[in-house]
Amino acid sequence: MRIDEMTSEDFREAVIKGATVILPLGATEAHGPHLPLGTDTFQPEYVAERVAEMNDNVLVAPVMPYGQHSSMRNVAGTIGISFDTLRAFVTDVLNYLIADGIRRIVIISGHAGTSHMCAITEACRAVVGRRDVRIAFFSDYDIASEMTNVENDGHGGLVETSRILDIRPDLVRGARPVGTYKSHGHLVLRDGSVCFPEGMAGDTRDSTPEFGKEINDYVVRAVSEIIREDLS
Ligand SMILES: [Zn+2]
């Protein structure tokens, strides 16, 4: 159930019954010529809602549509927040949920940038260090990549294109680009988008909604398992 569709009383009853809350963290980020800016928001939100439908007393907190960006920072349409803002945001929401009586929390991030993931991990660690609460944190992108194991697939690639074809086919444009990640070694870059000359990485020509559904179903099952096993 979505928390924003519940009343205060509904929420209180769910807490008494030991509710688990999923906090989906999205991003507004350029994803190549074919995918919408909300790609990293739609994926974790979809997974969270499916998991909540399939499992007892799992609530979905409103999705956060902004993340911290490096490579796509300067690309048109990317709207990000700083490391410190993201860490503070996650800390504040966790503290509110805990003050409300929630003791089991799952954070699913659609964006998987290194600093972005670090900011969220830092927030989770600090909260877990002070409060009696179980928090699981991961990127659904990482779970999907592990399952599919497609070589050289990455940002806006085959996996993400297929997943969005399943979740929001209306938003996928006609292009099916092929892009390669171009390493710049250890150089600290002023504009990280030079690593993505095509704006994405991977070969999307074989992307299909069927493959996307297979991946999304797998991620939903994996998250359900994390709730049952890691959080209990
Ligand atoms: Zn993405």
Side-chain angles (χ1 to χ4, degrees), residues 3 18 23-24 34 44 51 64 72 99-100 106 109 116 135-136 167 190:
I3 289 177
L23 171 61
H34 59 314
V51 169
M64 160 67 152
M72 295 295 146
D100 262 335
V106 180
S109 178
H116 172 89
I135 302 174
I167 300 169
R190 181 175 295 154

PDB file of all heavy atoms in Angstrom, residues 3 18 23-24 34 44 51 64 72 99-100 106 109 116 135-136 167 190:
ATOM      1  N   ILE A   3       1.890   4.815   1.117  1.00  0.00           N
ATOM      2  CA  ILE A   3       1.678   5.606   2.328  1.00  0.00           C
ATOM      3  C   ILE A   3       0.880   6.872   2.014  1.00  0.00           C
ATOM      4  O   ILE A   3       0.010   7.270   2.788  1.00  0.00           O
ATOM      5  CB  ILE A   3       3.033   5.958   3.000  1.00  0.00           C
ATOM      6  CG1 ILE A   3       3.624   4.681   3.626  1.00  0.00           C
ATOM      7  CG2 ILE A   3       2.875   7.052   4.040  1.00  0.00           C
ATOM      8  CD1 ILE A   3       4.989   4.858   4.247  1.00  0.00           C
ATOM      9  N   GLY A  18       3.401  -4.298  12.727  1.00  0.00           N
ATOM     10  CA  GLY A  18       4.803  -4.541  12.358  1.00  0.00           C
ATOM     11  C   GLY A  18       5.127  -4.287  10.897  1.00  0.00           C
ATOM     12  O   GLY A  18       5.889  -5.046  10.271  1.00  0.00           O
ATOM     13  N   LEU A  23      11.286   2.524   0.876  1.00  0.00           N
ATOM     14  CA  LEU A  23      11.510   3.894   0.420  1.00  0.00           C
ATOM     15  C   LEU A  23      12.205   3.823  -0.936  1.00  0.00           C
ATOM     16  O   LEU A  23      13.386   3.479  -1.023  1.00  0.00           O
ATOM     17  CB  LEU A  23      12.390   4.644   1.440  1.00  0.00           C
ATOM     18  CG  LEU A  23      12.907   6.027   1.027  1.00  0.00           C
ATOM     19  CD1 LEU A  23      11.769   7.001   0.765  1.00  0.00           C
ATOM     20  CD2 LEU A  23      13.854   6.578   2.096  1.00  0.00           C
ATOM     21  N   PRO A  24      11.462   4.112  -2.040  1.00  0.00           N
ATOM     22  CA  PRO A  24      12.117   4.085  -3.358  1.00  0.00           C
ATOM     23  C   PRO A  24      12.826   5.423  -3.607  1.00  0.00           C
ATOM     24  O   PRO A  24      12.239   6.487  -3.416  1.00  0.00           O
ATOM     25  CB  PRO A  24      10.952   3.884  -4.339  1.00  0.00           C
ATOM     26  CG  PRO A  24       9.686   3.944  -3.538  1.00  0.00           C
ATOM     27  CD  PRO A  24      10.015   4.405  -2.156  1.00  0.00           C
ATOM     28  N   HIS A  34      16.605   7.670 -26.089  1.00  0.00           N
ATOM     29  CA  HIS A  34      15.425   6.812 -26.167  1.00  0.00           C
ATOM     30  C   HIS A  34      14.637   6.674 -24.856  1.00  0.00           C
ATOM     31  O   HIS A  34      13.475   6.286 -24.888  1.00  0.00           O
ATOM     32  CB  HIS A  34      15.853   5.420 -26.648  1.00  0.00           C
ATOM     33  CG  HIS A  34      16.864   4.772 -25.741  1.00  0.00           C
ATOM     34  ND1 HIS A  34      17.961   5.439 -25.251  1.00  0.00           N
ATOM     35  CD2 HIS A  34      16.928   3.523 -25.220  1.00  0.00           C
ATOM     36  CE1 HIS A  34      18.665   4.619 -24.472  1.00  0.00           C
ATOM     37  NE2 HIS A  34      18.052   3.467 -24.452  1.00  0.00           N
ATOM     38  N   PRO A  44      12.448   1.687  -9.518  1.00  0.00           N
ATOM     39  CA  PRO A  44      12.297   1.289  -8.102  1.00  0.00           C
ATOM     40  C   PRO A  44      10.880   1.490  -7.582  1.00  0.00           C
ATOM     41  O   PRO A  44      10.421   0.750  -6.708  1.00  0.00           O
ATOM     42  CB  PRO A  44      13.294   2.188  -7.364  1.00  0.00           C
ATOM     43  CG  PRO A  44      13.495   3.364  -8.248  1.00  0.00           C
ATOM     44  CD  PRO A  44      13.355   2.840  -9.648  1.00  0.00           C
ATOM     45  N   VAL A  51       6.093  -5.337  -4.935  1.00  0.00           N
ATOM     46  CA  VAL A  51       6.471  -6.071  -3.717  1.00  0.00           C
ATOM     47  C   VAL A  51       5.398  -5.855  -2.644  1.00  0.00           C
ATOM     48  O   VAL A  51       5.011  -6.795  -1.945  1.00  0.00           O
ATOM     49  CB  VAL A  51       7.867  -5.624  -3.210  1.00  0.00           C
ATOM     50  CG1 VAL A  51       8.156  -6.177  -1.823  1.00  0.00           C
ATOM     51  CG2 VAL A  51       8.944  -6.065  -4.190  1.00  0.00           C
ATOM     52  N   MET A  64      11.386   9.481  -3.963  1.00  0.00           N
ATOM     53  CA  MET A  64      12.225  10.689  -4.039  1.00  0.00           C
ATOM     54  C   MET A  64      12.772  10.774  -5.463  1.00  0.00           C
ATOM     55  O   MET A  64      13.494   9.869  -5.900  1.00  0.00           O
ATOM     56  CB  MET A  64      13.359  10.537  -3.026  1.00  0.00           C
ATOM     57  CG  MET A  64      14.553  11.424  -3.285  1.00  0.00           C
ATOM     58  SD  MET A  64      14.171  13.156  -3.053  1.00  0.00           S
ATOM     59  CE  MET A  64      15.798  13.749  -2.590  1.00  0.00           C
ATOM     60  N   MET A  72      26.424  12.260 -15.685  1.00  0.00           N
ATOM     61  CA  MET A  72      25.358  12.916 -16.462  1.00  0.00           C
ATOM     62  C   MET A  72      25.015  14.307 -15.924  1.00  0.00           C
ATOM     63  O   MET A  72      24.041  14.917 -16.359  1.00  0.00           O
ATOM     64  CB  MET A  72      24.105  12.038 -16.454  1.00  0.00           C
ATOM     65  CG  MET A  72      24.283  10.725 -17.157  1.00  0.00           C
ATOM     66  SD  MET A  72      24.585  10.946 -18.933  1.00  0.00           S
ATOM     67  CE  MET A  72      25.689   9.594 -19.241  1.00  0.00           C
ATOM     68  N   ALA A  99      10.588   7.248  14.265  1.00  0.00           N
ATOM     69  CA  ALA A  99       9.796   7.926  15.305  1.00  0.00           C
ATOM     70  C   ALA A  99       8.332   7.499  15.226  1.00  0.00           C
ATOM     71  O   ALA A  99       7.624   7.456  16.238  1.00  0.00           O
ATOM     72  CB  ALA A  99       9.916   9.442  15.142  1.00  0.00           C
ATOM     73  N   ASP A 100       7.892   7.132  14.025  1.00  0.00           N
ATOM     74  CA  ASP A 100       6.510   6.664  13.828  1.00  0.00           C
ATOM     75  C   ASP A 100       6.343   5.212  14.266  1.00  0.00           C
ATOM     76  O   ASP A 100       5.234   4.673  14.206  1.00  0.00           O
ATOM     77  CB  ASP A 100       6.146   6.768  12.340  1.00  0.00           C
ATOM     78  CG  ASP A 100       5.373   8.035  12.023  1.00  0.00           C
ATOM     79  OD1 ASP A 100       4.721   8.571  12.941  1.00  0.00           O
ATOM     80  OD2 ASP A 100       5.409   8.459  10.858  1.00  0.00           O
ATOM     81  N   VAL A 106      13.275  -0.823   3.883  1.00  0.00           N
ATOM     82  CA  VAL A 106      14.035  -1.217   2.688  1.00  0.00           C
ATOM     83  C   VAL A 106      14.196   0.030   1.817  1.00  0.00           C
ATOM     84  O   VAL A 106      13.205   0.677   1.482  1.00  0.00           O
ATOM     85  CB  VAL A 106      13.284  -2.292   1.873  1.00  0.00           C
ATOM     86  CG1 VAL A 106      14.082  -2.683   0.635  1.00  0.00           C
ATOM     87  CG2 VAL A 106      12.993  -3.510   2.728  1.00  0.00           C
ATOM     88  N   SER A 109      17.279   2.002  -4.526  1.00  0.00           N
ATOM     89  CA  SER A 109      17.690   3.118  -5.368  1.00  0.00           C
ATOM     90  C   SER A 109      17.712   2.705  -6.833  1.00  0.00           C
ATOM     91  O   SER A 109      18.320   1.698  -7.188  1.00  0.00           O
ATOM     92  CB  SER A 109      19.082   3.605  -4.948  1.00  0.00           C
ATOM     93  OG  SER A 109      19.470   4.657  -5.808  1.00  0.00           O
ATOM     94  N   HIS A 116      26.469   8.581  -5.102  1.00  0.00           N
ATOM     95  CA  HIS A 116      25.046   8.518  -4.736  1.00  0.00           C
ATOM     96  C   HIS A 116      24.823   7.375  -3.745  1.00  0.00           C
ATOM     97  O   HIS A 116      24.201   7.565  -2.692  1.00  0.00           O
ATOM     98  CB  HIS A 116      24.247   8.314  -6.027  1.00  0.00           C
ATOM     99  CG  HIS A 116      22.785   8.048  -5.852  1.00  0.00           C
ATOM    100  ND1 HIS A 116      21.852   9.055  -5.803  1.00  0.00           N
ATOM    101  CD2 HIS A 116      22.102   6.880  -5.723  1.00  0.00           C
ATOM    102  CE1 HIS A 116      20.638   8.523  -5.657  1.00  0.00           C
ATOM    103  NE2 HIS A 116      20.770   7.213  -5.601  1.00  0.00           N
ATOM    104  N   ILE A 135      17.620  -2.053   8.496  1.00  0.00           N
ATOM    105  CA  ILE A 135      17.517  -1.360   7.203  1.00  0.00           C
ATOM    106  C   ILE A 135      18.264  -2.174   6.148  1.00  0.00           C
ATOM    107  O   ILE A 135      19.419  -2.555   6.365  1.00  0.00           O
ATOM    108  CB  ILE A 135      18.135   0.059   7.266  1.00  0.00           C
ATOM    109  CG1 ILE A 135      17.445   0.900   8.344  1.00  0.00           C
ATOM    110  CG2 ILE A 135      18.043   0.744   5.902  1.00  0.00           C
ATOM    111  CD1 ILE A 135      18.105   2.265   8.570  1.00  0.00           C
ATOM    112  N   ALA A 136      17.599  -2.438   5.030  1.00  0.00           N
ATOM    113  CA  ALA A 136      18.277  -3.060   3.881  1.00  0.00           C
ATOM    114  C   ALA A 136      18.378  -1.997   2.793  1.00  0.00           C
ATOM    115  O   ALA A 136      17.419  -1.264   2.545  1.00  0.00           O
ATOM    116  CB  ALA A 136      17.477  -4.255   3.374  1.00  0.00           C
ATOM    117  N   ILE A 167       7.554  -1.359 -18.056  1.00  0.00           N
ATOM    118  CA  ILE A 167       6.883  -0.520 -17.049  1.00  0.00           C
ATOM    119  C   ILE A 167       6.144   0.661 -17.684  1.00  0.00           C
ATOM    120  O   ILE A 167       4.997   0.939 -17.360  1.00  0.00           O
ATOM    121  CB  ILE A 167       7.923   0.012 -16.020  1.00  0.00           C
ATOM    122  CG1 ILE A 167       8.617  -1.149 -15.297  1.00  0.00           C
ATOM    123  CG2 ILE A 167       7.256   0.939 -15.007  1.00  0.00           C
ATOM    124  CD1 ILE A 167       9.835  -0.733 -14.478  1.00  0.00           C
ATOM    125  N   ARG A 190      36.250  17.033 -15.586  1.00  0.00           N
ATOM    126  CA  ARG A 190      35.383  18.198 -15.378  1.00  0.00           C
ATOM    127  C   ARG A 190      33.963  17.857 -15.851  1.00  0.00           C
ATOM    128  O   ARG A 190      32.987  18.247 -15.252  1.00  0.00           O
ATOM    129  CB  ARG A 190      35.930  19.393 -16.169  1.00  0.00           C
ATOM    130  CG  ARG A 190      35.112  20.646 -15.987  1.00  0.00           C
ATOM    131  CD  ARG A 190      35.755  21.820 -16.683  1.00  0.00           C
ATOM    132  NE  ARG A 190      37.038  22.161 -16.072  1.00  0.00           N
ATOM    133  CZ  ARG A 190      38.032  22.772 -16.715  1.00  0.00           C
ATOM    134  NH1 ARG A 190      37.891  23.118 -17.963  1.00  0.00           N
ATOM    135  NH2 ARG A 190      39.157  23.043 -16.097  1.00  0.00           N
TER     136      ARG A 190
END
